[in-house]
Amino acid sequence: MREAEPHLKDFSIERLRTRFAADGIEPWRAEQVAGWLYARGVEDPAQWTDVSAALRDRFANAWQRRALEWDAVSVSADGTVKGRLRARDGALIESVMIPEGERNTLCISTQVGCPLACSFCATGALGFTRNLGVAEILDQVCRMREKLAPEQRLTNVVFMGMGEPLLNLPNVIEAVRVLLHPKAFALGPRKITVSTAGVVPKIATLLQSVPVNLAVSLHAPTDAVRDVLVPINRRFPLAVLFEALRALPEVSVRRPIFFEYTLMQGVNDSLDDARRLVRLVRGLPSKLNLIPMNAHADAPYRPPHEADVARFAAVLVGAGLTVTVRRPRGADIDAACGQLAARGARPAA
Ligand code: SAH
């Protein structure tokens, strides 16, 4: 198969209709194809029984339908599954499925590596290789869903894997449209969360384009510390970030902003930090997600003491904020937050 062939998973259903029309295929076939590829997870056109034989051949010969292959899979003692997936150029991409009762949350990647170089993040230490295409974003969902038991359902998708989603925004938006589409993955809007380290000029565009939850990786309540942890803060410091967040018309008590705050011992976990954090988010509908630092070889930071996590959380709760402490899931297989670092983007064979 030639690389130049178009990929069925590179298009939202809306854009696939347009493309089909231009190619002389009935536009409504786009919904039919989405049903097979995404709702049913069948990639071989030979099995698309409600499509004419001529068109099945055409999809089989002139279109690509699969972007990622399995490279490795690891299963944590807590049930978390990490998949390492291989793109056609050999790039390795990691995704994590996190089961929690009835809920199955999939954490997906948007870039190979990441250019933002956050000093505590394993992906940041890899450097940046390239953006993922729409098909590569969606195929993480297709592949990882194969690991769910028949009675399990994918309920949530979070763009919190490798890479910065807002630096690959057109492809992220296109993929979100497929996740939402009733004939494709049919996820509810509140079931998808896109996380950013603070690419401020792109935030409004994201929320205007697709009805997703916004998560912001905060990690420090002062510019001095955030400049070190999240270097993009030097371009978009806290005042600029919060002015933009406060101006978002989509944010409300029913649709709060999720702030992620990775706690690192002696770096950002003091009571003063907690009080500054309260002042920073005051009046902004938000939920705070405290993430104890997951240690890895590429960062000098240590996890906080448990007692400090409790004290930090208590200050926030005392100020009336909604706070959750994220338990490390899949740490035994290096699948926890900040540990994704598929190594060795292998050259294509
Ligand atoms: N680039 C986007 C999407 C990745 S989200 C963003 O930064 O929001 C990945 C989440 O894991 C972020 O909240 C990040 O801060 C957190 N994280 C990164 N390294 C971590 C570590 N070592 N321990 C705990 N959380 C970490």
Side-chain angles (χ1 to χ4, degrees), residues 107 110 114 116 118 120-123 159-165 194-198 215-219 230 260-264 291-296 299 326 336-339:
C107 177
T110 55
C114 183
L116 294 187
C118 296
F120 58 99
C121 177
T123 307
F159 287 76
M160 295 186 184
M162 304 168 73
E164 168 53 48
V194 176
S195 183
T196 180
V216 176
S217 289
L218 198 53
H219 311 308
V230 187
E260 295 143 294
Y261 192 104
T262 301
L263 287 162
M264 298 164 226
I291 313 169
M293 168 80 191
N294 293 305
H296 58 85
R326 199 183 286 177
C337 298
Q339 294 185 323

Side-chain angles (χ1 to χ4, degrees), residues 9 31-44 47-51 142-143 145-146 182-186:
K9 289 177 180 164
E31 274 87 358
Q32 224 177 15
V33 165
W36 287 109
L37 288 178
Y38 306 120
R40 298 190 188 84
V42 177
E43 286 171 345
D44 178 5
Q47 297 178 45
W48 298 356
T49 46
D50 53 1
V51 177
C142 295
R143 289 293 78 73
R145 204 175 45 170
E146 296 167 5
K183 290 279 166 30
F185 288 106

Side-chain angles (χ1 to χ4, degrees), residues 195-253:
S195 183
T196 180
V199 183
V200 170
K202 299 288 170 78
I203 293 177
T205 313
L206 170 74
L207 293 188
Q208 282 159 17
S209 306
V210 277
V212 293
N213 298 317
L214 174 70
V216 176
S217 289
L218 198 53
H219 311 308
T222 63
D223 283 323
V225 177
R226 196 164 190 270
D227 278 350
V228 176
L229 298 180
V230 187
I232 197 176
N233 192 70
R234 294 173 208 159
R235 264 172 72 200
F236 307 113
L238 286 168
V240 172
L241 172 64
F242 275 85
E243 189 187 319
L245 296 179
R246 287 179 193 282
L248 293 170
E250 293 85 3
V251 172
S252 68
V253 175

